Amino acid sequence: MLRRIDVDGLRVGMFVCRLDRSWLETPFFRHRFLIRNRKQLEQLRAACRQVTIDTEQGLDLPPAANITAEELAPAQLLVAATEEQAHSLGRELVTAGGAHREASGVLEQVLDDVRLGRGVDTQRTRQVVKGLTESVVREPSALLCLTQLKTRSRYAAQHSVNVCIFTLVFARHLGLPGEVMHDLGLGALLLDVGKARIPVEILDKPDKLTPAEFALVKRHTLYGRRILEQHGVSDLVLEVVSDHHERIDGSGYPRGLKGKEIGLYARIVGLVDVYDAITSARVYGDPVSTLEAMRLLYQWRYQQFDHRLVEKFIQCLGVYPAGSLVEMDSGEVGVVVRVNARNRTRPVVRLLLDRSKRPLAEAPLVDLTRPMEDGASMTIGKVLDPLAWQDRLGEMWNEETLAANV
Ligand SMILES: [Fe+2]
């Protein structure tokens, strides 16, 4: 007999034949299997809300049992620990906010300098990358939250700073050494510096570019390399700037490199560049949600990117990265403040608006892996576009309030 049950009722020995999530949102690659150990059990509980079991191929539900106070205790401890972690994130957001503003300011200056034919102040640029790297090492969620405070203007600087932040967070996840992280961050921040040599009318053109215009835009990688070669930056930085549009299947530019002909660092930044571009509002397109972006990257993983890096990047950011604005199935709106390492689909969320979309006086912090007081568990219904919600969130959606709220 097929029986749909809450994951809390699962036991080792049960045969699972259907999940309530897409496999992409779980660690499983099959939807039909016998639960053989506690690890699988915990993974299922972490990833799903309900599953269907086949009682002819495995165990059935045992008689109903009451949950004991001892079983509830760890949940309460976890919520307390989460509040403590959230406070430290709030403190880091204040420092990260300063580093973020400085990085945007320095990058705008760099782009202006290049437009006017002046040199690049690499010393100041290195300094801001150092600040961003230190913040990411201390607490990656703080700068990740700030990547979500996007505006429709100043796309170029905003995009480069975000690519730098996502790259640093990814580098930390990959366990790359500090000096590599720093150079990788510098390359990511300066990845499109060559665009300052291309007319703004072409870069901001909402219509399709002509072949000649597209050929010119493609040259930004070469221009960038040439500009930075004069400033004694490392080969790693040059590789990132010149090769971040190369694609694994050879369809990229400027050289049409294939596979491992593209260096690891250019492969990393190329992937992050696309992720931030498709999740941002640009002159020629509306942003896709973080979840949709993950799906697209996964779909393109063999043609365009290093598939192992795509998988690790999804693991790193989670389905709902810190800073994502989300709406619960029950209607509340909140911001993701921390990804649960054990369960990418159930992060910790600070609720900002109630079910009727009115601001909550005391914004509660909810760990979605834990049941609420009434025993039900809250789940994310969809990811919202912060730009579309800016008016309704008002003062709740800026750096200071986020720092106070997370
Ligand atoms: Fe680029």
Side-chain angles (χ1 to χ4, degrees):
M1 189 177 92
L2 297 184
R3 193 196 289 277
R4 190 172 167 88
I5 65 169
D6 286 343
V7 287
D8 293 338
L10 280 174
R11 298 287 182 272
V12 172
M14 287 181 172
F15 188 89
V16 177
C17 59
R18 196 175 303 143
L19 306 179
D20 66 350
R21 300 268 150 174
S22 145
W23 68 269
L24 179 57
E25 299 171 29
T26 75
F28 303 106
F29 287 90
R30 284 176 300 157
H31 281 190
R32 296 176 58 80
F33 56 92
L34 185 71
I35 306 175
R36 295 182 189 279
N37 50 50
R38 288 200 65 79
K39 189 180 172 201
Q40 283 179 317
L41 193 62
E42 281 165 18
Q43 286 175 325
L44 274 167
R45 285 181 177 156
C48 304
R49 206 169 160 190
Q50 289 195 317
V51 300
T52 305
I53 57 168
D54 185 343
T55 58
E56 282 167 19
Q57 298 194 62
L59 295 177
D60 196 355
L61 272 179
N66 292 324
I67 297 171
T68 65
E70 287 74 19
E71 282 173 311
L72 277 176
Q76 286 156 2
L77 281 175
L78 193 94
V79 171
T82 304
E83 278 291 350
E84 179 50 40
Q85 285 169 346
H87 286 144
S88 79
L89 173 59
R91 284 195 296 274
E92 183 59 37
L93 257 169
V94 176
T95 316
H100 188 262
R101 273 191 302 279
E102 207 188 339
S104 304
V106 166
L107 191 69
E108 296 221 10
Q109 185 63 54
V110 165
L111 296 176
D112 279 348
D113 287 343
V114 173
R115 267 180 218 118
L116 296 169
R118 297 195 289 243
V120 175
D121 187 345
T122 47
Q123 203 179 344
R124 256 191 102 196
T125 315
R126 283 181 202 280
Q127 204 55 40
V128 294
V129 173
K130 184 166 175 274
L132 295 175
T133 309
E134 286 168 354
S135 177
V136 165
V137 168
R138 282 192 299 268
E139 173 49 88
S141 297
L143 278 169
L144 277 181
C145 281
L146 298 181
T147 62
Q148 300 302 306
L149 300 178
K150 296 174 181 174
T151 60
R152 285 191 187 274
S153 60
R154 299 185 305 158
Y155 170 73
Q158 199 168 255
H159 172 62
S160 298
V161 172
N162 284 354
V163 172
C164 176
I165 292 168
F166 286 124
T167 298
L168 289 171
V169 172
F170 191 26
R172 179 185 189 266
H173 178 79
L174 294 172
L176 297 178
E179 61 274 23
V180 173
M181 261 180 93
H182 181 269
D183 267 12
L184 199 52
L186 185 63
L189 187 67
L190 296 171
L191 90 166
D192 284 337
V193 71
K195 283 190 178 171
R197 291 268 166 87
I198 295 171
V200 178
E201 310 82 73
I202 295 180
L203 293 176
D204 288 350
K205 187 178 170 183
D207 306 319
K208 199 168 184 283
L209 297 179
T210 65
E213 287 168 339
F214 190 41
L216 185 59
V217 170
K218 283 178 173 177
R219 294 190 69 80
H220 78 273
T221 51
L222 299 173
Y223 293 155
R225 185 182 180 102
R226 255 184 242 158
I227 292 162
L228 293 174
E229 269 173 346
Q230 300 160 12
H231 290 85
V233 298
S234 69
D235 287 346
L236 192 163
V237 175
L238 295 178
E239 172 196 306
V240 167
V241 172
S242 62
D243 295 346
H244 66 276
H245 285 285
E246 298 288 359
R247 294 293 175 258
I248 291 291
D249 61 1
S251 64
Y253 64 87
R255 290 185 284 164
L257 298 176
K258 275 187 181 175
K260 292 209 168 148
E261 289 170 356
I262 311 166
L264 171 67
Y265 304 116
R267 274 180 270 152
I268 289 175
V269 177
L271 169 63
V272 175
D273 182 28
V274 170
Y275 171 77
D276 187 68
I278 59 179
T279 53
S280 304
R282 294 167 294 166
V283 280
Y284 46 85
D286 286 330
V288 302
S289 71
T290 49
L291 186 57
E292 182 58 18
M294 296 295 180
R295 285 205 184 101
L296 289 170
L297 292 180
Y298 201 77
Q299 189 183 316
W300 300 330
R301 70 194 185 284
Y302 290 114
Q303 295 81 42
Q304 302 207 27
F305 308 112
D306 179 332
H307 67 98
R308 294 160 309 174
L309 288 177
V310 171
E311 282 153 22
K312 287 196 180 299
F313 187 63
I314 294 174
Q315 240 175 40
C316 165
L317 287 192
V319 181
Y320 307 109
S324 300
L325 186 67
V326 291
E327 183 174 3
M328 302 296 138
D329 274 330
S330 41
E332 295 90 346
V333 171
V335 58
V336 172
V337 297
R338 184 176 296 276
V339 174
N340 272 314
R342 285 183 303 118
N343 188 335
R344 292 169 281 157
T345 61
R346 296 194 182 182
V348 178
V349 176
R350 176 72 76 184
L351 296 182
L352 303 174
L353 306 178
D354 67 13
R355 291 174 184 198
S356 311
K357 311 296 185 277
R358 286 175 307 221
L360 284 156
E362 280 186 31
L365 192 66
V366 185
D367 183 339
L368 301 186
T369 59
R370 298 288 155 189
M372 308 286 286
E373 276 173 14
D374 60 3
S377 49
M378 211 177 236
T379 51
I380 293 176
K382 61 180 170 187
V383 182
L384 303 175
D385 173 11
L387 283 173
W389 280 74
Q390 234 164 15
D391 291 344
R392 290 174 97 165
L393 290 165
E395 287 303 304
M396 303 183 90
W397 196 250
N398 63 37
E399 196 182 297
E400 291 76 29
T401 322
L402 268 185
N405 264 329
V406 302

